[in-house]
Structures are given as structure tokens and as C-alpha cells.
């Protein structure tokens, strides 16, 4: 499944320099970081609302959480691409934290 991240990475890199008239991702890059961050905020809100609905909802509401989370992750990957950061760095950070207490990890962060 992590293969999809590699495939997305490749496509996002290509679209970063594509024509904004023909590519949604290129259009986001063209509009700049603030527009990308706005989309992340929008998708985060939609994910939160979908999760709230899914708590007492049925299968459709649970599927909506999956769809909104995919949108949130996708736009986060666009942000990383815009900043010329590799998604593998996030995976490495998650791997570094694996097995650590969340409390201990947070306490060890630089202020």
C-alpha cells in the first residue's frame, strides 16, 4: 500500500510544474502556499464534521470519513511538495516515534 505514496509523489512532482490551466495541483501551486493551506484547513474541517457524523451514523457516514481523510492527506502531500519536502521524511518521523510514549515524545520536543 505504501506504493501509492510513491506514485502520488511522482505525480505531484510532475504536476508542480504543469500548466495551471490543465492541472488542479498545478493551479494550487500557482496560487501559492496560502491557497494550499486554505485547502488543508477546509479538508480538516470537513474531516472533523464527517467523523462527528460517523460516530452515530451508518456505513455512508463512515465512508465519508474515509473520503474526507483522503482529501486531507492528499492536500497535505501537495503542501509538502510545494515546500519541496519529501513525504518519506514524515514516514521517517513516524517510524522514529513508533514505540515511544506519546507523552514522552511530546516532552522531548524542543520548545
Amino acid at each position: 500500500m505504501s506504493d501509492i505514496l510513491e506514485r502520488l509523489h511522482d505525480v505531484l512532482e510532475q504536476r508542480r510544474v504543469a500548466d495551471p490551466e490543465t492541472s488542479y495541483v498545478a493551479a494550487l501551486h500557482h496560487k501559492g502556499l496560502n491557497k494550499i493551506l486554505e485547502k488543508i484547513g477546509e479538508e480538516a474541517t470537513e474531516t472533523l464534521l464527517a467523523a462527528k457524523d460517523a460516530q452515530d451514523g451508518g456505513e455512508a457516514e463512515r465512508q465519508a470519513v474515509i473520503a474526507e481523510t483522503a482529501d486531507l492527506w492528499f492536500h497535505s502531500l501537495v503542501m509538502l511538495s510545494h515546500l519541496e519536502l519529501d513525504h518519506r521524511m514524515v514516514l521517517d518521523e513516524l517510524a522514529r516515534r513508533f514505540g515511544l510514549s506519546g507523552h514522552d515524545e511530546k516532552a522531548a520536543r524542543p520548545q
Side-chain angles (χ1 to χ4, degrees):
M1 279 306 242
S2 66
D3 180 52
I4 190 64
L5 287 177
E6 293 302 320
R7 291 170 44 208
L8 269 172
H9 171 79
D10 293 344
V11 169
L12 291 176
E13 287 302 303
Q14 294 166 6
R15 302 276 168 84
R16 204 169 77 156
V17 295
D19 180 0
E21 296 295 320
T22 62
S23 166
Y24 171 73
V25 171
L28 283 174
H29 283 294
H30 182 74
K31 291 175 185 175
L33 182 61
N34 283 347
K35 183 61 176 177
I36 295 167
L37 297 176
E38 182 182 305
K39 285 301 296 181
I40 292 172
E42 176 186 318
E43 298 302 344
T45 300
E46 290 174 1
T47 301
L48 294 171
L49 294 173
K52 189 72 172 159
D53 290 345
Q55 184 174 17
D56 296 319
E59 188 56 33
E61 289 80 10
R62 296 175 64 77
Q63 186 55 44
V65 175
I66 300 302
E68 294 301 342
T69 302
D71 289 346
L72 177 59
W73 288 10
F74 175 81
H75 286 89
S76 295
L77 290 169
V78 172
M79 176 198 63
L80 291 172
S81 174
H82 190 80
L83 296 171
E84 298 183 16
L85 295 170
D86 194 305
H87 71 278
R88 292 175 206 96
M89 297 168 72
V90 176
L91 297 176
D92 290 345
E93 178 63 14
L94 289 171
R96 183 190 70 76
R97 294 179 186 186
F98 194 79
L100 291 178
S101 157
H103 295 296
D104 291 343
E105 189 283 326
K106 189 172 182 179
R109 291 182 195 170
Q111 300 297 328

